Amino acid sequence: DLSRLHGKSKTPEYQMFYDAGKRARQRGVPITIAPDDIVIPERCPVLGMPLRSGHGLRSPNTPTLDCIDPRLGYVPGNIIVVSWRFNKAKGDLTPEELRRIAKWVLR
């Protein structure tokens, strides 16, 4: 088993990579990233909240892997690690839908 050979199978980065592979197959999009391409920042780049791995337990601060453009898949330059809170809130909304929500909230 390749995951045992590289010694990273228990890391949050590898788990994100593994889960991304499953999602890529389900959605029919490419995955050409490697676990080393996944870098978890200290804070969510969108919401600014600290990111903390929960070792299997998901919380708003759990880091999650997201595709910037979902149509392109998990390829270098198209992935970002964000908080579960942001990723869940964003869901599968389009940029236009997100703009409409922001406009409504800010009125």
Side-chain angles (χ1 to χ4, degrees), residues 32-103:
T32 61
I33 59 167
D36 288 339
D37 292 322
I38 300 171
V39 178
I40 301 174
E42 286 188 30
R43 297 186 166 278
C44 174
V46 180
L47 299 180
M49 60 197 305
L51 295 177
R52 292 188 292 275
S53 294
H55 304 290
L57 302 174
R58 198 171 274 156
S59 77
N61 298 77
T62 301
T64 62
L65 186 64
D66 192 30
C67 289
I68 296 166
D69 183 340
R71 299 169 297 178
L72 300 178
Y74 298 90
V75 298
N78 192 49
I79 59 167
I80 186 170
V81 176
V82 295
S83 65
W84 173 251
R85 180 179 176 125
F86 169 73
N87 213 350
K88 183 179 177 192
K90 181 187 66 122
D92 62 355
L93 296 171
T94 66
E96 179 55 30
E97 290 168 329
L98 287 169
R99 273 192 284 283
R100 286 174 182 235
I101 290 170
K103 186 177 176 181

